[in-house]
Amino acid sequence: MTESTVKTVPPVASPPVVVARGLTKTYDTGDSKVHALAGVDVEFHRGAFTAIMGPSGSGKSTLMHCLAGLDVATSGSVHLGRTEITGLRDAELTLLRRDRIGFIFQSFNLLPMLTAEQNILLPSQIARRAVDKERFEHIVDVVGLRDRLHHLPAKLSGGQQQRVAVARALLNAPEVVYADEPTGNLDSRSGSEVLAFLRGSARDLHQTIVMVTHDPVAASYADRVVFLRDGRLVDEVLEPTAELVSARLLKLEEV
Ligand SMILES: Nc1ncnc2c1ncn2[C@@H]1O[C@H](COP(=O)(O)OP(=O)(O)OP(=O)(O)O)[C@@H](O)[C@H]1O
Ligand SMILES: [Mg+2]
């Protein structure tokens, strides 16, 4: 599929939560320039679970980092709600990430000396933010951590640790959650638990989720998969299945 035939998402009433326009990122490595992002236009709507896929080096991590305000784009714009995050100062970006964005990483990033409950509550405490007790209880039940709340991470399985990280990312109902290979360190059963929960939180809590993954099965839990190649968005699949995603990836890697 060529750029000009890329399908667009069906029109939705609410404005998108995240909008990127003409996003570029160029690395100057001395004698050559690497165009990690070569003009990306993309949007993410409330309650949508989107996977970003593409061959190694296609720009997935760079795109996610620019969308999340973890990296600065060379040109173009990113809006989160009404805020244009491209152009914010470091201190403003730090607050924006803390208050409006959730993060889930491959490596869980839990503090080993804190219990599961303390880990989930930590970002709210650091931000001096009141915790919505009802939401906390709901999330703990949905991720199935009720009887593990007072355990240290070392006493939890990988899947349970990642569910703690997911609960932590979702507690504050951030406008968007960015997940970077969230199941990369999990066996397939724990991985599918985490993915099912992410999908459920998009459907039931209207959580907006953007996930980078290499795994077609993981991507099949999303509502939509967008494909990058050489820093450009070149394809999109709605209601993906693992088979469909694998086939599209193969096609991209052939070119
Ligand atoms: N700090 C950097 N300096 C120079 N080039 C970089 C830097 N970071 C990334 N790149 C280059 O930008 C391009 C996109 O990298 P990126 O990490 O976004 O790819 P990716 O799709 O996440 O790959 P992978 O699937 O391997 O994680 C690659 O060609 C990479 O080598
Ligand atoms: Mg990457």
Side-chain angles (χ1 to χ4, degrees), residues 27 29 34-36 54-63 181 212 214 228:
Y27 291 106
T29 55
V34 178
H35 299 286
S56 183
S58 59
K60 302 180 295 294
S61 297
T62 306
L63 176 59
E181 297 277 356
V212 169
H214 280 101
L228 280 174

Side-chain angles (χ1 to χ4, degrees), residues 73-87:
T74 305
S75 67
S77 67
V78 175
H79 278 81
L80 174 62
R82 292 167 167 218
T83 311
E84 181 174 350
I85 76 168
T86 26

Side-chain angles (χ1 to χ4, degrees), residues 173-216:
E175 286 162 63
V176 57
V177 169
Y178 291 107
D180 194 354
E181 297 277 356
T183 55
N185 279 334
L186 301 178
D187 60 74
S188 67
R189 199 176 131 249
S190 308
S192 54
E193 281 169 13
V194 167
L195 290 161
F197 177 68
L198 287 176
R199 181 167 62 189
S201 70
R203 296 214 173 135
D204 306 336
L205 302 170
H206 307 293
Q207 184 65 65
T208 309
I209 301 170
V210 179
M211 168 178 79
V212 169
T213 183
H214 280 101
D215 176 6

Side-chain angles (χ1 to χ4, degrees), residues 17 68 80 83 85 88 90-103 122-130 135 168-178 207:
V17 176
L80 174 62
T83 311
I85 76 168
L88 290 184
D90 276 353
E92 296 168 317
L93 275 177
T94 302
L95 287 181
L96 177 122
R97 286 195 304 263
R98 188 190 80 180
D99 295 334
R100 298 175 59 185
I101 299 178
F103 291 96
L122 186 67
S124 301
Q125 280 172 352
I126 291 173
R128 298 177 191 283
R129 193 165 45 221
R135 187 175 170 91
R168 178 182 60 187
L170 291 170
L171 179 61
N172 179 39
E175 286 162 63
V176 57
V177 169
Y178 291 107
Q207 184 65 65

